[in-house]
Amino acid sequence: DDAELQDILNAMRDGTLNQHHLNLLKGRIGHKATDNVTRLYTLNVDVENINNQKLDELPGDTHYYLRTTRGSSWNDAQILQKNVLAPEILKLKTNAVVMAVKNDPEGRFFNGSIGTVEGFSSEGFPIVDFGDAYNYTVYPEEWEYKRGDRTTAGLTQIPIRLAYAITVHKSQGMTLDTAEVDLSNAFVEGMGYVGLSRVRSLKTLYLKGFNQRSLMVSPVARAIDTKFKERSKENE
């Protein structure tokens, strides 16, 4: 419901960004985010460095959880691994900031929910506070890859990951109340659109920087968007 952010995103899709839009984005640079805000970066190396650094700063023992896969198709298992946000090796400590990467079947948390590890159960699973006055023990979940009605691969892991930082690419599909976004090293068109459209409001966007490529959308995406709009008008 943020008209200014919607206007910026619409202009990016249309290729009509102007100085007013740039000034709005520049106005979000320099605002200091809180420590527990999720940070979106374009490069994997930046994300890994921040998450490992923040985890190392926490006292206490590190708990490790290994992702497992099953199935009859190695190729399908590889596809599943690339598209699932749960890490191959999940490292956690008490007080670590985490993000849910799958909707909970019981509706206790959702993909993109941010929480804090409050401790570990007697079984060794993390107990997470997602900010609703309750602490939930998060158990392993399975993701499946299907071809028709047949499941050809499966992947099991605890459905959370460290959330001090995440790549813009991996953030697709998430809605964040607030985020710190660094688009200074954006290397492909559309990356900036994905990063900026994760937050609900321009006021909850903490922008570290952006480059020219981050504000561009590919000609192919623009053509598809135009076609969708034309068909929408026809249907109306």
Side-chain angles (χ1 to χ4, degrees), residues 189-204:
E189 297 150 329
M191 189 169 277
Y193 184 90
V194 172
L196 296 176
S197 60
R198 295 310 93 204
V199 295
R200 300 177 186 272
S201 167
L202 201 60
K203 294 182 178 64
T204 61

Side-chain angles (χ1 to χ4, degrees), residues 1-9 20-21 24 202-203:
D1 59 356
D2 185 335
E4 289 184 328
L5 181 57
Q6 284 186 2
D7 191 34
I8 292 172
L9 295 175
H20 172 67
H21 300 129
L24 287 174
L202 201 60
K203 294 182 178 64

